[in-house]
């Protein structure tokens, strides 16, 4: 079942619910410039066997309102949108899973709205904390010295995208993007990725790109104290082939979020190919059950 909900005057969000209506709700929060259908259907179905899974399009993605230039907002507003989605779906408390920027939004929820979360699972993201990372040998590493984004990814992100790019050329660009984001461990299936992105374009209704989340104000997101006081059961997924927030970012997350535990998905990068669906879903379901 899918529908639109009102998040603010002139702003509507596309929302889908899948799974038994009486099952514990589980909210999926996607990354920057990514729509809710970036969570692959087979993966969502694995979770929906035990949960009422809620996924949605951020504003300026998918079928939600694209109006950043007329209605600019800070990144923190996207976390408020997640709470709005829970309200609209009648979910007083939910399990929350966040990927990339979605993992940062989930941390904002942990710190600011812990009463709305049953559990949290974070993947492919960085800590919203200024606390140094303590290496196994006891050496403290300042946050600004943790490994950065793979230069190949940065180079691709820096390339301008022509506004009149044809569909097949845009699909070529997206496949190249996901080839890099997938990491260098698991085999990359270009045909699968192309078909997956074609489905996202069909869902959206066009293949225009949007830079709204990259232009949104990212200030005021540090939650060092709130994460240190966390009482929500939190799972951090470690992806050894992650090119955006590579290890030890997951280990740092598990240190700064009180009570968090770490689970590694072998071969995983910053993407959700079929090879990671079963182990990732199993880790999330075990966490939500416990």
């Amino acid at each position: 079942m899918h529908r639109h909900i009102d998040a603010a005057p002139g702003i509507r969000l596309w929302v889908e619910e899948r799974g038994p209506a009486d099952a514990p709700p589980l909210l999926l929060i996607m990354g920057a410039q990514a729509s809710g259908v970036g969570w692959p259907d087979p993966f969502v179905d694995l979770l929906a066997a035990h949960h009422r899974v809620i996924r949605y399009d951020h504003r300026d993605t998918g079928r939600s309102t694209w109006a950043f230039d007329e209605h600019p907002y800070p990144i923190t507003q996207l976390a408020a949108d997640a709470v709005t989605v829970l309200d609209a779906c009648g979910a007083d408390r939910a399990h929350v899973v966040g990927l990339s920027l979605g993992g940062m939004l989930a941390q904002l929820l942990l710190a600011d709205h812990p009463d709305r979360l049953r559990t949290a699972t974070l993947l492919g993201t960085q800590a919203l904390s200024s606390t140094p990372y303590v290496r196994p040998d006891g050496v403290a590493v300042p946050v600004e010295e943790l490994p950065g984004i793979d230069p190949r990814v940065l180079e691709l992100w820096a390339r301008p995208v022509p506004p009149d790019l044809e569909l097949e050329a845009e699909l070529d660009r997206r496949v190249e993007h996901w080839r890099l984001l997938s990491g260098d461990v698991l085999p990359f299936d270009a045909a699968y990725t192309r078909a997956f992105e074609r489905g996202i374009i069909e869902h959206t209704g066009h293949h225009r790109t949007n830079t709204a989340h990259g232009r949104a104000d990212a200030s005021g997101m540090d939650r060092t104290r709130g994460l240190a006081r966390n009482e929500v059961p939190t799972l951090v997924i470690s992806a050894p082939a992650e090119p955006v927030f590579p290890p030890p970012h997951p280990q740092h997350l598990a240190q700064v979020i009180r009570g968090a535990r770490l689970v590694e998905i072998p071969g995983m990068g910053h993407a959700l190919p079929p090879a990671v669906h079963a182990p990732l879903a199993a880790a999330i379901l075990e966490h939500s059950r416990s």
Side-chain angles (χ1 to χ4, degrees):
M1 178 185 73
H2 60 85
R3 58 195 169 104
H4 280 86
I5 65 169
D6 293 321
I11 305 295
R12 308 192 76 204
L13 304 178
W14 178 88
V15 178
E16 180 198 70
E17 297 182 58
R18 186 179 299 203
D22 59 349
L26 186 152
L27 178 69
L28 296 173
I29 308 179
M30 243 302 155
Q33 305 304 156
S35 78
V37 296
W39 297 100
D41 286 348
F43 173 71
V44 174
D45 288 339
L46 290 172
L47 299 177
H50 303 275
H51 289 282
R52 172 165 62 106
V53 178
I54 304 165
R55 60 178 176 175
Y56 68 102
D57 292 344
H58 294 297
R59 42 177 96 193
D60 293 286
T61 74
R63 296 181 182 177
S64 292
T65 303
W66 292 41
F68 181 81
D69 291 333
E70 296 78 22
H71 302 284
Y73 49 84
I75 292 295
T76 51
Q77 177 59 54
L78 298 179
D81 286 348
V83 175
T84 298
V85 170
L86 291 178
D87 289 342
C89 293
D92 292 335
R93 297 177 67 230
H95 303 279
V96 173
V97 179
L99 169 63
S100 195
L101 175 64
M104 299 179 203
L105 301 181
Q107 291 175 69
L108 294 177
L109 297 182
L110 280 173
D112 301 344
H113 302 280
D115 57 310
R116 304 301 301 270
L117 276 63
R118 298 187 182 198
T119 67
T121 300
L122 313 176
L123 53 152
T125 193
Q126 65 179 351
L128 300 183
S129 173
S130 59
T131 303
Y133 165 64
V134 180
R135 297 186 335 204
D137 62 6
V139 174
V141 181
V143 172
E144 57 270 18
E145 294 181 15
L146 292 178
I149 301 171
D150 187 315
R152 297 172 297 173
V153 175
L154 289 175
E155 190 277 329
L156 187 147
W157 286 351
R159 296 179 198 170
V161 180
D164 57 349
L165 199 64
E166 294 184 355
L167 173 60
E168 296 305 319
E170 172 62 11
L171 285 168
D172 290 341
R173 189 187 70 83
R174 295 190 186 194
V175 169
E176 181 183 6
H177 184 216
W178 286 115
R179 187 188 302 276
L180 292 177
L181 292 184
S182 295
D184 299 321
V185 177
L186 296 176
F188 180 73
D189 189 335
Y192 164 85
T193 304
R194 193 178 193 87
F196 182 68
E197 280 295 330
R198 195 182 295 276
I200 290 175
I201 289 170
E202 291 173 354
H203 165 78
T204 304
H206 59 80
H207 64 277
R208 298 193 305 274
T209 58
N210 195 327
T211 61
H213 297 167
R215 292 183 286 139
D217 180 4
S219 64
M221 292 179 63
D222 186 286
R223 292 296 185 275
T224 299
R225 293 184 179 180
L227 297 178
R229 295 193 300 263
N230 174 60
E231 295 185 356
V232 176
T234 301
L235 174 67
V236 177
I237 299 297
S238 176
E242 168 69 56
V244 179
F245 299 112
H249 279 282
Q251 290 75 17
H252 182 228
L253 267 169
Q255 287 181 0
V256 303
I257 300 175
R258 180 174 179 268
R261 65 187 185 93
L262 196 67
V263 170
E264 180 175 303
I265 304 298
M268 186 173 176
H270 197 78
L272 300 172
V276 308
H277 292 177
L280 179 59
I284 293 170
L285 292 173
E286 179 184 4
H287 180 57
S288 67
R289 285 194 297 266
S290 64

